[in-house]
Amino acid sequence: ETFRLSAAAGAGALKLHKGDITLWSVDGATDAIVNAANGRMLGGGGVDGAIHQAAGPQLVQACRKVPEVKPGIRCPTGEARITPAFELPVSHVIHTVGPIYDMDRQPELLLKNAYENSLKLAKENGIQYIAFPAISCGIFRYPPKEAANIAISTARQFSGDLKEVHFVLFTDELYDIWRETAQEMLTRFEK
Ligand code: ADP
């Protein structure tokens, strides 16, 4: 399903899909998928594991080269880092770290920062099309409706020069919540 990111002429689109983000790409474009990583950036469970599996072992090598900002931490919560995508069909992977809902202070701000810093990094790297998973909605237990509100409002505010912002939702439940939230916040693209 497709929505307009703003009322402005020529504004970008927001697109929602159900499925596996490792299969997503836009033919012939500079595109990126976002990984819901952890601070170490060396792989993990959930979407992080799926992305590393599909990208092949060069991805973890590239992540290892990202400098540590403190011992063991390459990407603090709310920040974002970029690497090539290797065997994935996209040009880049943007790694971001969302909050652990029951543990981190100010989870709303940290989740907003994760989306915002990913979008800014995409823009700085000439990426035109970006796809996000539902950051923090798995192992990190963020309530999905609140996460959808933050994800879509931040995409609207910070989409910048991106042509399209996509969300690839892994479950029917998440897809329905994202669609309902987009219907509340945005207008549908008329074909
Ligand atoms: P976090 O630690 O940020 O919660 P998870 O990977 O546990 O990260 O979950 C984030 C979201 O990604 C969850 O909604 C999960 O269902 C989803 N997910 C897991 N695998 C994939 C995949 N291959 N493509 C898209 N989304 C996925």
Side-chain angles (χ1 to χ4, degrees):
E1 193 142 5
T2 304
F3 299 86
R4 300 177 73 87
L5 275 167
S6 91
L14 178 137
K15 294 196 180 192
L16 305 180
H17 314 268
K18 216 205 106 181
D20 179 353
I21 200 167
T22 66
L23 303 175
W24 179 92
S25 69
V26 174
D27 266 359
T30 308
D31 53 4
I33 61 170
V34 177
N35 182 15
N38 57 56
R40 295 170 65 231
M41 282 182 66
L42 300 179
V47 72
D48 192 10
I51 288 171
H52 275 275
Q53 177 80 39
Q58 285 173 293
L59 183 60
V60 80
Q61 304 297 338
C63 287
R64 227 175 241 125
K65 289 186 194 139
V66 173
E68 292 185 0
V69 293
K70 51 188 168 185
I73 302 296
R74 294 181 178 78
C75 184
T77 304
E79 295 191 18
R81 302 288 186 270
I82 192 165
T83 66
F86 304 103
E87 293 171 41
L88 286 162
V90 287
S91 337
H92 297 86
V93 178
I94 291 176
H95 307 262
T96 191
V97 182
I100 301 175
Y101 189 73
D102 294 322
M103 209 179 86
D104 285 313
R105 268 186 290 259
Q106 296 192 285
E108 302 83 2
L109 179 65
L110 291 171
L111 188 62
K112 181 181 169 61
N113 288 349
Y115 280 106
E116 184 180 323
N117 286 319
S118 298
L119 290 162
K120 286 180 175 168
L121 194 54
K123 184 176 171 180
E124 285 163 20
N125 285 275
I127 289 158
Q128 298 170 301
Y129 298 85
I130 190 169
F132 287 94
I135 297 167
S136 288
C137 290
I139 300 159
F140 288 178
R141 304 193 65 82
Y142 209 103
K145 180 63 185 173
E146 293 169 39
N149 277 320
I150 291 170
I152 294 171
S153 61
T154 310
R156 188 174 55 184
Q157 282 173 270
F158 291 94
S159 56
D161 293 334
L162 304 199
K163 288 196 173 146
E164 294 176 359
V165 177
H166 294 226
F167 288 92
V168 182
L169 290 323
F170 203 55
T171 65
D172 287 329
E173 189 205 351
L174 286 169
Y175 181 83
D176 291 345
I177 291 169
W178 251 252
R179 189 179 54 193
E180 180 191 281
T181 307
Q183 283 167 353
E184 289 160 8
M185 275 190 216
L186 305 171
T187 56
R188 238 194 228 90
F189 241 112
E190 303 298 339
K191 290 217 178 108

